[in-house]
Amino acid sequence: QLQPVESGGGLVQPGGSLRLSCAASGFTLDYYAIVWVRQVPGKAREGVSCIFRDDGRTYYAESVKGRFTISRDNAKNTVYLQMNSLKPEDTAVYYCTGDLGGRSCPLMTKSLPFDYDAMEYWGKGTQVTVSS
C-alpha cells in the first residue's frame, strides 16, 4: 500500500479513551520514525507523538504527554496511539505518516515548527471528537 491507513477514531466524552491504529506496511520500514499528526480546520498541523522504527524511542507533544501512549507492533506493521483522559481540545483529524529522518520528533516536544507537508505519505486520517 502506498498510503497509511488510520482507524479507531470516534466520538467520546471528555475523560474517555480511544485507541488509534496506523497500518503502514507500505512505507513504515523506509522511514526512521512514524509520527502521529493532528489537524483542526484553519489551524496548523500539530505533531502529537512519534516513535522511532528501530530503537523504539518515543516523543510526545507537551499537550498530550502523560495522556497518550504510542506503540508499535512489528509483526503487524502497525503503530498505535492510545489516548486516555481525552479533552475537547484533542478534537481533530489524526494522521500518521513517516518521518524519513525523524527530525520532527524532538521538535514536537517543544512545540517547535516543522514542515509536515514535507512528509511523503498521508492517509485519509481518522476523526477524533471529544464532546459532552
Side-chain angles (χ1 to χ4, degrees):
Q1 61 184 17
L2 182 63
Q3 299 175 322
V5 179
E6 302 95 341
S7 62
L11 173 64
V12 297
Q13 295 183 349
S17 298
L18 286 172
R19 182 178 174 86
L20 307 185
S21 298
C22 172
S25 61
F27 66 91
T28 300
L29 297 180
D30 295 329
Y31 293 89
Y32 203 86
I34 301 297
V35 58
W36 283 97
V37 178
R38 65 187 180 187
Q39 186 170 31
V40 177
K43 299 182 65 176
R45 288 170 172 164
E46 177 188 16
V48 176
S49 186
C50 179
I51 185 167
F52 278 32
R53 184 191 66 211
D54 294 328
D55 62 18
R57 283 180 290 170
T58 59
Y59 301 80
Y60 299 92
E62 186 175 354
S63 60
V64 308
K65 189 175 183 179
R67 300 186 297 118
F68 291 10
T69 302
I70 191 170
S71 62
R72 65 193 299 268
D73 186 327
N74 290 338
K76 296 181 179 180
N77 292 313
T78 301
V79 176
Y80 303 96
L81 185 67
Q82 178 67 46
M83 306 186 296
N84 299 325
S85 302
L86 284 163
K87 303 176 180 180
E89 51 262 45
D90 295 317
T91 297
V93 178
Y94 285 71
Y95 302 87
C96 70
T97 188
D99 185 343
L100 185 61
R103 296 174 180 176
S104 71
C105 302
L107 296 177
M108 69 173 63
T109 67
K110 299 180 178 180
S111 299
L112 294 175
F114 183 84
D115 183 13
Y116 290 102
D117 290 336
M119 294 181 173
E120 188 172 5
Y121 298 112
W122 296 92
K124 296 180 179 180
T126 185
Q127 176 71 50
V128 172
T129 302
V130 185
S131 176
S132 60

